Amino acid sequence: MWDNPKNLLSRQDIENLQTELLRENIDYAFSNVKFYKEKFSKIGINKSSINSIEDIQKLPFTTKEDFRDNYPFGLFAVPMKNIVRIHASSGTTGKPTVVGYTKKDIDTWSDLVARVARSASVTDEDIVHIAFGYGLFTGGFGLHYGLEKLGAAIVPASSGNTKRQIMLIKDYGATVLVCTPSYAMHIAEVAKELGINPKEDLCLRVGMFGAEPWSEGLRKKLEEALGIKAYDNYGLSEAMGPGVAGECETQNGMHIYEDNFIAEIIDPDTGRPVKDGEYGELVITTLTKEALPLFRYRTRDITRLNKEKCACGSIFARMDKPIGRTDDMMIIRGVNIFPSQIEEVLFGIDGISPHYQIVINRVGALDDAVILVEANEHLFFDDMKHQRMLVDEINAELKSALGIEIKVKIVEPSSIERSIGKAKRIIDNRKI
Ligand code: DLL
């Protein structure tokens, strides 16, 4: 059994611990954060309102807008003297979301990321190449300190300059690659262009990928191209960064570290909890954070929870790979569709490069989408007939998987922008 604290043997144990920590945290936030004091007072909530884990539903949600309204440090529960690190999430619109950490928070964070890495079979014998950006983004530093705690040898390559990254991976004999799954795919392709066969010429054995939605299809492509076992891990800056959840060897969902977080799944429209095992929006409450306690944060990520004990021995609940964000959902001819569902279909088809973009438009009151798919050189330049066959095949597969057809356009090889961080899979013209 990995990483279950010994005193947590059943769901009841977890829920008892969560209830106790939640009560303490409400008291702590009430005394130290004006925003929560006002919010809780208004609806008459205090520590004694919480007697079981279900009582969490009495608390109001926190949203990204609350971070914006309190920009930059208004949600911090400690004086600046006690803050030792600041990160921020980029956000495509408006001010970034700013998060702070005390020394103790950094310690907790490293422990959590070390757990994620260990469950992905990483040990102190590994040489870990981190190609996440080191900066305001939590990916680089977050993974770095956790892996350092585990005792691995870290190559803090940060993002960019892919050819140099490949040289470092080869020369230093990296055994673990840490980055976004889309950038890992780019690394695999550039390696091939350089005449390097990752399976033979590199020592990589494990990929720890996260920070963006990715399909099982992409997992297979990455495992095949790099000769690795690819593990998913999930997190978000507001709750800490990476280290919220990660896959174990069974790869049957990501274990949420429930001794540090409470996870709920709600109906994004009504805010009510969904039935056990159903899809909905993930809502996260932190239990151990000092600088920035967070209550019922609306992540906008759509997933579902499995609270059955895992074959690995852990009783921590598992979340499915998020299928997307509520903001990215399209309603095409009445069918709710997430980009990752389209990815799953595309990556099951031979002859498609793993690069695509979805352009979403609003036509009247309806959503409309075009999928741009890269073809390989031969198909694009020489073979109109095969191009048409490919479009037909994609549409037939979309129709059978999702029940609708979506416009597909085959585009030139290498014409879709490669990202060094999170891939830009969606051009959403509805938001302009
Ligand atoms: O992406 C933290 C992170 C860094 C996680 C490195 C894992 C590895 P943010 O920049 O605040 O933080 O973005 C958080 O990214 O709400 C999800 O929409 C998405 N996301 C993160 N991990 C996954 C994942 C980091 N494994 C937002 N699968 C989240 C799908 C993910 N989406």
Side-chain angles (χ1 to χ4, degrees):
M1 185 188 297
W2 58 269
D3 280 322
N4 271 344
K6 290 201 177 45
N7 53 338
L8 298 181
L9 298 173
S10 66
R11 276 237 65 81
Q12 195 54 52
D13 291 339
I14 291 180
E15 291 180 5
N16 291 346
L17 173 75
Q18 290 179 324
T19 309
E20 195 42 49
L21 291 174
L22 181 62
R23 285 164 61 92
E24 282 169 22
N25 231 12
I26 288 175
D27 231 13
Y28 175 69
F30 194 93
S31 315
N32 294 291
V33 187
K34 186 165 154 261
F35 167 81
Y36 284 124
K37 182 174 185 161
E38 287 173 4
K39 236 177 161 183
F40 293 164
S41 306
K42 212 163 147 191
I43 51 170
I45 285 281
N46 59 40
K47 155 181 195 162
S48 52
S49 318
I50 306 292
N51 297 306
S52 73
I53 200 65
E54 284 76 33
D55 287 337
I56 195 171
Q57 288 165 35
K58 296 178 183 165
L59 297 178
F61 293 116
T62 310
T63 63
K64 205 165 192 88
E65 286 65 45
D66 294 323
F67 274 84
R68 297 222 166 101
D69 294 346
N70 290 283
Y71 177 83
F73 305 141
L75 294 181
F76 288 8
V78 298
M80 249 5 230
K81 182 167 102 31
N82 297 356
I83 296 283
V84 297
R85 180 98 66 79
I86 286 169
H87 283 286
S89 83
S90 56
T92 40
T93 50
K95 296 271 193 198
T97 310
V98 182
V99 293
Y101 305 77
T102 62
K103 272 198 180 127
K104 181 167 163 273
D105 289 333
I106 296 283
D107 222 38
T108 313
W109 190 12
S110 319
D111 280 341
L112 285 166
V113 173
R115 281 165 149 193
V116 169
R118 200 162 45 212
S119 68
S121 84
V122 180
T123 72
D124 56 3
E125 310 249 348
D126 278 301
I127 300 175
V128 183
H129 184 98
I130 302 184
F132 272 131
Y134 280 63
L136 285 174
F137 173 53
T138 52
F141 283 104
L143 265 305
H144 183 104
Y145 284 99
L147 283 154
E148 195 168 87
K149 201 154 212 177
L150 192 64
I154 296 162
V155 183
S158 196
S159 53
N161 198 343
T162 307
K163 286 185 183 161
R164 185 163 159 272
Q165 302 257 5
I166 293 163
M167 182 192 82
L168 296 177
I169 292 171
K170 184 163 180 275
D171 293 353
Y172 300 173
T175 51
V176 178
L177 176 62
V178 175
C179 57
T180 56
S182 56
Y183 189 53
M185 199 67 236
H186 185 45
I187 289 180
E189 285 175 342
V190 175
K192 206 169 144 205
E193 280 162 30
L194 294 173
I196 292 171
N197 175 352
K199 281 180 171 169
E200 282 171 17
D201 305 328
L202 306 179
C203 305
L204 291 174
R205 63 172 196 90
V206 163
M208 281 179 68
F209 304 133
E212 64 184 7
W214 54 305
S215 61
E216 287 300 329
L218 183 53
R219 191 202 304 263
K220 278 199 206 88
K221 282 192 190 288
L222 284 167
E223 292 188 335
E224 176 54 30
L226 291 168
I228 55 170
K229 182 156 176 174
Y231 288 86
D232 196 1
N233 72 94
Y234 170 90
L236 65 162
S237 334
E238 293 85 347
M240 172 157 291
V244 174
E247 282 180 331
C248 62
E249 72 274 10
T250 66
Q251 299 196 311
N252 193 5
M254 291 181 272
H255 287 284
I256 299 176
Y257 294 99
E258 293 184 282
D259 47 349
N260 289 264
F261 305 98
I262 299 175
E264 300 168 76
I265 304 287
I266 60 157
D267 177 328
D269 296 326
T270 64
R272 304 284 312 148
V274 299
K275 289 205 192 86
D276 268 356
E278 279 183 7
Y279 279 102
E281 179 180 346
L282 178 68
V283 170
I284 293 280
T285 298
T286 64
L287 295 172
T288 51
K289 275 180 69 193
E290 238 178 24
L292 188 60
L294 194 62
F295 296 89
R296 304 196 84 200
Y297 183 69
R298 302 275 304 247
T299 67
R300 302 187 187 172
D301 293 315
I302 301 293
T303 182
R304 58 180 176 176
L305 292 185
N306 179 353
K307 292 184 179 165
E308 299 287 305
K309 186 173 178 181
C310 178
C312 78
S314 172
I315 49 167
F316 284 150
R318 283 164 282 161
M319 59 182 272
D320 262 20
K321 271 178 168 307
I323 52 173
R325 296 180 58 77
T326 47
D327 341 37
D328 292 335
M329 191 183 82
M330 302 169 271
I331 306 179
I332 298 180
R333 289 189 283 289
V335 183
N336 296 1
I337 298 202
F338 287 95
S340 67
Q341 295 172 292
I342 296 178
E343 176 175 307
E344 199 67 66
V345 171
L346 292 180
F347 289 2
I349 296 173
D350 283 342
I352 289 185
S353 94
H355 299 285
Y356 70 95
Q357 244 168 7
I358 302 166
V359 185
I360 313 174
N361 293 303
R362 176 141 299 153
V363 181
L366 303 175
D367 290 340
D368 187 45
V370 183
I371 310 171
L372 310 180
V373 180
E374 263 187 30
N376 60 35
E377 307 243 330
H378 165 68
L379 196 76
F380 189 78
F381 292 111
D382 307 334
D383 208 340
M384 285 310 288
K385 189 170 139 236
H386 277 100
Q387 254 194 55
R388 272 195 301 275
M389 281 168 63
L390 186 58
V391 171
D392 288 346
E393 187 183 351
I394 294 172
N395 258 319
E397 292 294 329
L398 285 170
K399 178 113 193 157
S400 101
L402 307 175
I404 53 158
E405 286 188 14
I406 302 176
K407 279 176 230 142
V408 176
K409 191 170 168 215
I410 306 288
V411 297
E412 229 175 293
S414 304
S415 60
I416 292 176
E417 190 191 336
R418 305 297 191 252
S419 154
I420 54 170
K422 302 187 189 224
K424 191 162 172 48
R425 304 281 198 204
I426 301 155
I427 314 259
D428 194 346
N429 296 326
R430 296 174 303 183
K431 290 176 188 159
I432 294 171

